[in-house]
Amino acid sequence: FHSFCPSISREKINQLKDCIKGLNADDKYFLELHLNRGLSLAELKGVLRISRGAIDMRKSRIIGRLRECFKSKGFLLDF
């Protein structure tokens, strides 16, 4: 991660990792499938056996939780 964003200090990277670690197991699994393994939201629907609306809601809630955690650690977000 640091090589991707060299202007971010190790301390800040660790704070970001702490936010991700703070997610529950289902949220981390969702992120693993979507971000690390590259599954589309449509593919997640089949893997997780939930509706597309539920997929969208879960993604929105995960983003909200991460956004709040990042802000609490001093990150300025524009998304």
Side-chain angles (χ1 to χ4, degrees):
F1 187 82
H2 194 262
S3 60
F4 180 70
C5 298
S7 63
I8 298 177
S9 71
R10 284 256 180 246
E11 180 183 350
K12 288 288 187 188
I13 290 171
N14 288 335
Q15 290 174 339
L16 293 172
K17 287 179 180 178
D18 286 344
C19 288
I20 294 168
K21 286 179 187 175
L23 294 173
N24 67 42
D26 288 339
D27 291 347
K28 287 188 245 185
Y29 184 59
F30 183 99
L31 290 177
E32 169 65 25
L33 294 174
H34 187 49
L35 300 178
N36 292 338
R37 297 188 187 184
L39 271 65
S40 69
L41 296 176
E43 291 169 319
L44 283 173
K45 176 185 172 211
V47 171
L48 299 177
R49 297 185 182 140
I50 58 177
S51 72
R52 178 56 196 261
I55 291 289
D56 293 339
M57 181 61 68
R58 185 176 291 184
K59 181 180 176 184
S60 176
R61 288 179 179 162
I62 291 169
I63 290 170
R65 284 192 281 276
L66 288 174
R67 181 181 290 128
E68 288 305 310
C69 184
F70 293 166
K71 283 182 183 179
S72 75
K73 296 185 179 293
F75 287 88
L76 300 175
L77 304 175
D78 59 359
F79 63 91

